[in-house]
Amino acid sequence: MKFSWLKNYVPRGLYGRAALILVLPVVTLQLVVSVVFIQRHFEGVTAQMTRSLASELEFVLSEIEAAPGPQEALQGISPLSNGLGIATAFDASVTKSSRRWYDFSGLVVMRELHMRLPAVENIQLPDDNLVLLSIATKHGPAVMQVDRKRMSASNPHQLLVNMVFFGILMTFISFIYLRNQLRPITRLAAAAEAFGRGRHVPYSPAGAVEVRAAGSAFLDMRARIERQIEQRTMLLSGVSHDLRTPLTRLRLGLSFLEEEDREPLERDVDDMQRMLDEFLNFARGASETEPEHVDVRAFLDQVINDAARGNAEVNLIECTVSKDLLIRKMVVQRAIENLVNNATRYGDTVHISAMQLKRSIVFRVEDNGPGIPENMREEALKAFTRLDPARNQDKGSGVGLGLAIAADAARAHGGVLRLGKSESLGGLQADIVIAI
């Protein structure tokens, strides 16, 4: 038997599922006990007591039928009525049956009396103390007043009230303990989610032994990753220093050559310098900066101004982000600048936009260039990939790290880089999606 259809009705969060596991058995138990109690107490006990009283009423009714007249009947049953607690009078005051809507035991009383005494015409149950019966006799309708306690148990609702009250009380206490047990798990999830988005939040293991073990494992993993990033950054800094020194000596040596021989060699050195810078930017990732609150509109204006200084025409066409965004500013700026540089290299019209969605912010860069075929977009996100058929290499040299740096920046913020076709310009559309 498959229960996959239940997934649509089960809470998605851990707290909701734990609450369901806690509440469902309690409610089910209360319902079962209530049904059993109603069947055994309301129906069984009430029916037995009503049948016993019906026998007494039947005896009193036989005495009334045997009397020659109403007065003689009342005098004849007077000692018997006093002993049984049954008050009798000949009138027509009870003209219809009635009971309170929540008087469930009254249903059993009426049913048993009509079954045992066919002469009973109407039954009134005004409260928990009285039962009024209208019985047809040969002397006319007789009204008998009987104590309700003789037909049903007193305060039959006490068990249900106590059960519901203490069930709610114990459920509330259980919720408090449940919340305390789930809080360390939610803190661990929040710390892991923040670390996945490039933020370091304080966290210390707490809670049950298993949760503490998971928390300690997370701290060890985070420490190893941070130590690895730090070591990689130090190594690359050393490589950068070691490589820049011979490049500087090469520039100095080339300055003594003739201009005709010097220019192509200097271009090669510039290419080596640019490749080195791009590689270092990619290798550093998001480890060298801390998150900060950024005004998105001012941030994009700065990117556009920087692009304008490089003689590139870039336009901001839309910005619907209304609040500051917590990001690693230099990392995102580097990613958008790489996308803008690619766009200006292969197209002459570039549009930038920022859109705020329900759970994410989207930075979009579009151009009117040749774009990237759909079957090669995944390959284009890999480091050191150069798609010669897709992007014209005659318009500038590159290392193949621009899109890889943008994708790494998006992942550092818990997001993703998506490539597509621009609907407005027809070229490449690159979306940096950042979770908020």
Side-chain angles (χ1 to χ4, degrees), residues 94-106:
V94 181
T95 58
K96 63 178 181 178
S97 299
S98 63
R99 68 173 182 87
R100 295 166 296 175
W101 65 271
Y102 56 86
D103 188 0
F104 299 108
S105 62

Side-chain angles (χ1 to χ4, degrees), residues 6-235:
L6 284 175
K7 293 182 179 179
N8 297 328
Y9 304 97
V10 175
R12 299 182 63 86
L14 179 61
Y15 191 85
R17 294 188 177 187
L20 183 63
I21 294 173
L22 172 67
V23 172
L24 187 60
V26 174
V27 174
T28 302
L29 179 62
Q30 289 186 348
L31 289 177
V32 171
V33 172
S34 299
V35 171
V36 173
F37 172 75
I38 290 174
Q39 289 181 344
R40 294 294 301 274
H41 191 83
F42 280 11
E43 294 189 13
V45 176
T46 302
Q48 183 179 0
M49 297 176 67
T50 304
R51 285 195 294 267
S52 299
L53 182 62
S55 300
E56 299 177 2
L57 293 174
E58 187 177 7
F59 178 72
V60 173
L61 184 59
S62 64
E63 292 294 326
I64 293 176
E65 294 290 345
Q71 297 299 326
E72 291 81 0
L74 292 177
Q75 292 176 0
I77 65 172
S78 179
L80 184 62
S81 297
N82 294 333
L84 297 177
I86 301 174
T88 306
F90 286 96
D91 57 44
S93 59
V94 181
T95 58
K96 63 178 181 178
S97 299
S98 63
R99 68 173 182 87
R100 295 166 296 175
W101 65 271
Y102 56 86
D103 188 0
F104 299 108
S105 62
L107 292 173
V108 181
V109 172
M110 290 181 172
R111 184 188 66 198
E112 293 295 329
L113 288 176
H114 283 299
M115 185 183 302
R116 295 289 177 176
L117 297 173
V120 175
E121 296 179 340
N122 299 307
I123 303 173
Q124 288 186 356
L125 306 172
D127 50 38
D128 294 333
N129 300 319
L130 289 178
V131 177
L132 299 178
L133 306 175
S134 176
I135 304 177
T137 67
K138 67 179 184 179
H139 307 297
V143 176
M144 294 186 181
Q145 180 177 316
V146 185
D147 191 354
R148 176 66 182 271
K149 295 181 180 179
R150 298 195 60 191
M151 293 187 179
S152 59
S154 60
N155 299 325
H157 62 283
Q158 284 186 349
L159 177 60
L160 293 176
V161 172
N162 290 334
M163 182 176 61
V164 172
F165 172 75
F166 286 105
I168 295 175
L169 177 61
M170 297 309 298
T171 301
F172 175 73
I173 295 175
S174 300
F175 267 118
I176 296 177
Y177 282 100
L178 177 64
R179 184 184 62 179
N180 293 334
Q181 292 300 317
L182 294 181
R183 185 181 294 134
I185 300 178
T186 55
R187 289 179 58 246
L188 174 59
E193 182 180 8
F195 183 64
R197 296 182 179 182
R199 298 194 300 269
H200 185 105
V201 299
Y203 170 76
S204 59
V209 176
E210 293 80 4
V211 180
R212 289 176 179 269
S216 300
F218 165 73
L219 291 178
D220 293 340
M221 178 193 69
R222 186 172 69 177
R224 287 195 300 269
I225 294 176
E226 291 176 342
R227 186 165 56 251
Q228 181 182 7
I229 294 175
E230 182 180 358
Q231 291 175 351
R232 185 185 67 174
T233 303
M234 293 178 60
L235 174 63

